[in-house]
Amino acid sequence: DDKHLNAPEFACAMVEAGAAMITVHGRTRTQGFSGKSSLEIIKKVRAAVPAHVPVVGNGDVITLDDYVRMRVETGCDAVMIGRGALGNPWLFRDIRAWLRGEKPPGAPSHLERRQVFLRHVELMRGHTPDKRVIHELRKAVAWYTKGLPNSAALRDQHAAPGQPDELVAAAARYFEQLAAGGYAQAA
């Protein structure tokens, strides 16, 4: 039962058993992907575990501000990022700049977004069974276009099963049109 789990005690027991690093996801098993990640539990584990054992915080890191908040409020040694990187690998670029004391470069250009999307598609096609490709491509289109103008229309247009090449071409054209100043209205 999640209510009875004492994460700091469990983490200390893991260290006593030989764990060299502890990663704490700030949600319970019952929460799954819903609710908010608890920074407080990560902070308690960091306080309980010996300083020579790195504690990695995880959960709800979508932006640079989320990363900074996780590090500052929990004292964790590192941050693990999962869903926050989907369609936004530039998050790592911003974090690296922040860690170096530099100004984060911020959002990518539409053409940069297109280039990285197409590289992601290439990698997916090399590692995804044919019967799953269209499903995975639709998810990637949603990730890379989230919050961009007219992105819902692109996703709706290709919601039904179709040809992977058609979807990739439509997404590539979408990014090109954005770069050319198209789609002035919000999504």
Side-chain angles (χ1 to χ4, degrees):
D1 183 356
D2 291 334
K3 294 179 207 165
H4 300 287
L5 179 65
N6 186 323
E9 286 180 20
F10 182 73
C12 288
M14 295 301 295
V15 170
E16 289 173 19
M21 179 172 69
I22 301 291
T23 300
V24 183
H25 186 66
R27 285 193 186 85
T28 64
R29 182 186 309 254
T30 305
Q31 281 180 292
F33 292 122
S34 65
K36 293 292 288 172
S37 178
S38 169
L39 297 181
E40 187 60 30
I41 196 66
I42 298 168
K43 180 179 180 177
K44 287 180 180 179
V45 169
R46 174 63 280 167
V49 171
H52 72 278
V53 177
V55 171
V56 180
N58 177 253
D60 295 336
V61 178
I62 309 294
T63 67
L64 175 59
D65 288 343
D66 296 333
Y67 172 86
V68 172
R69 186 177 313 106
M70 172 80 73
R71 291 292 303 270
V72 169
E73 291 184 22
T74 69
C76 65
D77 302 285
V79 176
M80 184 169 80
I81 299 172
R83 289 179 298 149
L86 298 175
N88 185 22
W90 301 277
L91 175 59
F92 299 106
R93 174 180 71 183
D94 289 350
I95 291 169
R96 184 177 47 241
W98 182 83
L99 289 170
R100 291 177 177 166
E102 301 167 358
K103 183 180 188 300
S109 71
H110 298 303
L111 290 179
E112 183 180 6
R113 191 177 293 270
R114 177 187 180 275
Q115 178 184 5
V116 172
F117 166 75
L118 291 174
R119 176 66 176 133
H120 192 156
V121 166
E122 181 183 318
L123 292 169
M124 283 192 315
R125 284 184 163 166
H127 298 282
T128 305
D130 288 343
K131 66 181 183 177
R132 298 266 321 142
V133 166
I134 193 69
H135 174 72
E136 296 301 320
L137 287 173
R138 274 195 213 99
K139 289 193 306 188
V141 167
W143 297 331
Y144 283 91
T145 63
K146 183 178 181 180
L148 297 177
N150 211 36
S151 61
L154 172 68
R155 292 189 303 272
D156 291 347
Q157 180 182 3
H158 295 279
Q163 295 300 315
D165 290 340
E166 291 173 16
L167 176 56
V168 173
R173 282 190 308 271
Y174 168 80
F175 290 121
E176 289 168 1
Q177 191 162 1
L178 282 175
Y183 302 120
Q185 293 193 341

